[in-house]
Amino acid sequence: MKIELKNFGPIRQATFTPGDLTIICGGDNTGKTCATYALFGFLSFWHDVFPIKVNYADVERLIDEGAIELDIQHYIDNALAILKEACEDYTEELPDIFGAEEKRFKNSRFKVNLDMNHICPMPTFERAVASPTTKRLTISKPANSTIVNCSLLVDITKARFSQSFISRSIGDALKKIVFGDLFPKPFIASGERTSAAIFWKDIVSSRNRLLEETSSKGKEINLFEMISTLCGSYSLPVQCNIDFIGQLKKFSKKNSFIAKKYPDILDGFADIIGGEYLVSENDELYFVPTGKRIKLTMDESSSAVRSLLIIGFYLRHVAAPGDMLMIEEPELNLHPENQRRLVRLFSRLVNLGIKVFITTHSDY
């Protein structure tokens, strides 16, 4: 996967190929953040927004007959055209990705170059789209076959199950089957993560307060527009960091594969920060220093503790093989010894199948 950028902030033209470990270094204002945000935005757009279009007649036939077979060879043959469409659609979203004015991206271009030989469809696939009580749609691909079987398990006329939702579900499955793990799921720790660790409650409270105030003033107020005005100045990575911290209580109920299989990595991370993070039942966030009977709020904790907060929760609760962990300046606020420890941790993650993408100014 080769990324081409044109007219992104200070970047007039750049090309880079993300690998298992990717390091971008350079002087200030040379475009490191632009390149990072551009890639993170595309990977997020690919996973969460962009759909592969499914033939309308196929969806109609599925609704009428209850089951259909789709040959993925058609989508494999058109993989490059699908990717081109995704890049063009994503380019139109750049102002929202960067939280900036449209005119700044008037001449910007984002392109992913792929060799057809790199497109390796998944050998098998199985997915069930379900409601809280029952399965509604199953999508499967047997081994050694190009056929995808789609089965509708409910009567669409009796269920809250729209035709567009069916189409989107099948399209998302086809996207995964055709392109496999070519585009990793991204997680980012932005350069503003230290501030996000302190101010996330204020931002979330402001959103909620605005919603409450405007909802009582009548229908003439466009709530979406007003909320967008409040939040739109933040780039997507910063918004993702704020939202992630705001949901730590939910994430903390799950354990990542690292927590289950490689707890020594978490022990090493605890050595770097000198303690552990704690989320209370009241959504209060604390740092507990090793060997001390105290709990520190994020305001009371060191800048290094705040800087590594998002990374720590990702490792313990979210990380999955094949992810891409993206970190802007991981050395922020860290003593050189801890910078070296963090590098060793990154090496472990790469060896476990997590891609690591960083920008840095540090010699370490």
Side-chain angles (χ1 to χ4, degrees), residues 117-166:
N117 293 324
H118 293 162
I119 297 173
C120 185
M122 297 185 70
T124 62
F125 183 85
E126 190 80 32
R127 177 176 294 176
V129 182
S131 68
T133 57
T134 183
K135 292 182 180 180
R136 297 185 172 191
L137 173 68
T138 61
I139 305 167
S140 63
K141 175 189 173 298
N144 303 316
S145 173
T146 63
I147 298 300
V148 173
N149 300 298
C150 304
S151 298
L152 191 59
L153 306 179
V154 294
D155 186 345
I156 191 173
T157 61
K158 298 179 181 179
R160 295 178 180 178
F161 207 48
S162 68
Q163 184 169 333
S164 61
F165 181 80
I166 295 173

Side-chain angles (χ1 to χ4, degrees), residues 321-337:
D323 282 357
M324 177 177 282
L325 174 60
M326 309 180 75
I327 309 175
E328 281 195 284
E329 300 183 29
E331 70 272 12
L332 281 177
N333 309 118
L334 294 186
H335 185 277
E337 182 180 353

Side-chain angles (χ1 to χ4, degrees), residues 95-101 207 225-236 239:
D96 290 334
I97 301 297
F98 284 82
E101 297 177 308
R207 291 177 181 175
E225 182 177 329
M226 294 192 69
I227 293 174
S228 296
T229 300
L230 175 66
C231 308
S233 59
Y234 297 110
S235 64
L236 178 64
Q239 290 189 47

Side-chain angles (χ1 to χ4, degrees), residues 180-196:
D181 297 321
L182 195 57
F183 299 108
K185 190 172 182 61
F187 183 92
I188 194 167
S190 73
E192 285 73 30
R193 61 188 179 275
T194 305
S195 299

Side-chain angles (χ1 to χ4, degrees), residues 195-238:
S195 299
I198 298 178
F199 299 120
W200 69 273
K201 271 196 170 182
D202 294 334
I203 296 171
V204 172
S205 296
S206 296
R207 291 177 181 175
N208 294 338
R209 189 165 56 252
L210 177 65
L211 184 61
E212 291 173 1
E213 290 177 358
T214 53
S215 62
S216 63
K217 293 183 179 180
K219 295 183 179 180
E220 71 278 3
I221 294 178
N222 187 324
L223 299 183
F224 178 79
E225 182 177 329
M226 294 192 69
I227 293 174
S228 296
T229 300
L230 175 66
C231 308
S233 59
Y234 297 110
S235 64
L236 178 64
V238 175

